[in-house]
Amino acid sequence: NIDLKILIIFLSIIFLSFFIKKISKYLNLYDIPNSKRKIHQKPISTINGLLILLTLNIYFLLDIVLFNEFYFKINIIFLFLINIFYFMGYIDDIKDLSPLKKSIIIFLILLILIPLDENLILKSLIFENLTNKEIDLNQSSVFVTVFFIYIFYNFLNFIDGLNGIAVSVAIFFISILGLNRGIFLNHEILIILTLLYCLILNINNISFLGNSGVAVLGVFISTLYIAEYNLNKTLLSDEIFLIFFIPGIDMTRLVIS
């Protein structure tokens, strides 16, 4: 059953989307076809990223007083991460930041915020099938964690090509957690509903994710998996590796190309 509060938040996001043209024009949320890599012929709104950001902001703020699915500190860190990454993606949409600049910004943000809560740090690798031995990461734990988040961000950025692919993959990754746990938590239900709505907008060429939307989803999903791994052990290291294996191979192929 969907919590009434979750449904109200989702309906509020849908209502906001009715003003796509006005909001996109006011905030300059457009993907402009100014390079050979872009196949659309006219500017398309990138409000999907804003809808996802607002959904997560509302949820994490309400979680502090209503849902209590995360610790207070994790909520605050998530809020900082998604908003800073969205702003970085927003600037990237407008000014087309170089990969080096984006990489420096991402590493700095993560190295500052991730160590603030131990539940967002990969301290060891535990496997379901490969070995019974737990691999301690020791002093390298923060850097390994940051590197994994950076890799996932790039993977989602690379896969954001044809309409619907990145959003569909994001829905898949979030759904996997709920299916393996046996129950979908409020934040999973809410973001999946929002992503399904964004998928409809996306495949109908009404709105794109944009670099801002990809940035938010990249940092949210990767840190969500890390928090779930540390707090609940819903999926272990080799299982997570298999889930991301094929997309990871595709990212490697694209880099080599």
Side-chain angles (χ1 to χ4, degrees), residues 33-226:
N34 57 0
S35 72
K36 294 180 180 179
R37 294 184 296 108
K38 304 195 176 185
I39 59 176
H40 53 286
Q41 302 299 316
K42 61 181 181 179
I44 302 292
S45 170
T46 56
I47 201 174
N48 277 359
L50 181 62
L51 297 180
I52 293 168
L53 176 71
L54 291 175
T55 298
L56 293 175
N57 270 318
I58 295 171
Y59 167 78
F60 285 122
L61 288 171
L62 288 178
D63 188 58
I64 296 173
V65 294
L66 289 178
F67 304 125
N68 298 314
E69 290 180 344
F70 291 101
Y71 298 118
F72 175 79
K73 189 189 292 186
I74 291 183
N75 276 311
I76 299 301
I77 294 173
F78 269 131
L79 283 169
F80 272 104
L81 281 173
I82 61 175
N83 283 282
I84 293 174
F85 266 71
Y86 178 85
F87 183 72
M88 179 196 69
Y90 176 75
I91 298 299
D92 191 24
D93 280 326
I94 296 174
K95 296 187 176 182
D96 196 16
L97 297 175
S98 70
L100 178 59
K101 287 182 179 179
K102 282 191 290 186
S103 297
I104 293 173
I105 293 171
I106 291 170
F107 275 107
L108 284 176
I109 295 170
L110 295 176
L111 287 172
I112 292 171
L113 293 177
I114 292 300
L116 295 179
D117 193 291
E118 62 180 8
N119 292 306
L120 298 179
I121 300 173
L122 289 170
K123 294 183 177 180
S124 64
L125 300 179
I126 303 173
F127 299 88
E128 175 70 22
N129 300 302
L130 295 179
T131 176
N132 293 324
K133 184 178 180 180
E134 181 177 348
I135 301 176
D136 291 320
L137 298 176
N138 300 317
Q139 288 83 2
S140 65
S141 58
V142 173
F143 296 99
V144 170
T145 303
V146 169
F147 179 72
F148 282 166
I149 297 173
Y150 175 76
I151 288 296
F152 184 80
Y153 162 82
N154 278 285
F155 145 70
L156 204 61
N157 193 33
F158 287 168
I159 207 172
D160 184 33
L162 296 178
N163 286 359
I165 296 180
V167 178
S168 299
V169 168
I171 293 171
F172 169 75
F173 286 142
I174 297 170
S175 299
I176 284 292
L177 290 177
L179 291 171
N180 277 272
R181 192 190 304 110
I183 184 172
F184 283 83
L185 302 180
N186 285 318
H187 66 277
E188 294 166 341
I189 296 173
L190 180 58
I191 192 62
I192 287 174
L193 286 174
T194 300
L195 287 173
L196 285 171
Y197 183 64
C198 288
L199 180 61
I200 294 173
L201 297 177
N202 195 189
I203 60 179
N204 285 287
N205 237 32
I206 297 173
S207 178
F208 293 165
L209 274 177
N211 292 321
S212 53
V214 170
V216 171
L217 282 177
V219 73
F220 170 68
I221 295 175
S222 55
T223 49
L224 183 66
Y225 262 79
I226 293 171

Side-chain angles (χ1 to χ4, degrees), residues 22-35:
K22 290 184 178 180
I23 296 174
S24 298
K25 184 177 180 180
Y26 181 74
L27 297 176
N28 193 24
L29 298 175
Y30 287 106
D31 188 314
I32 300 173
N34 57 0
S35 72

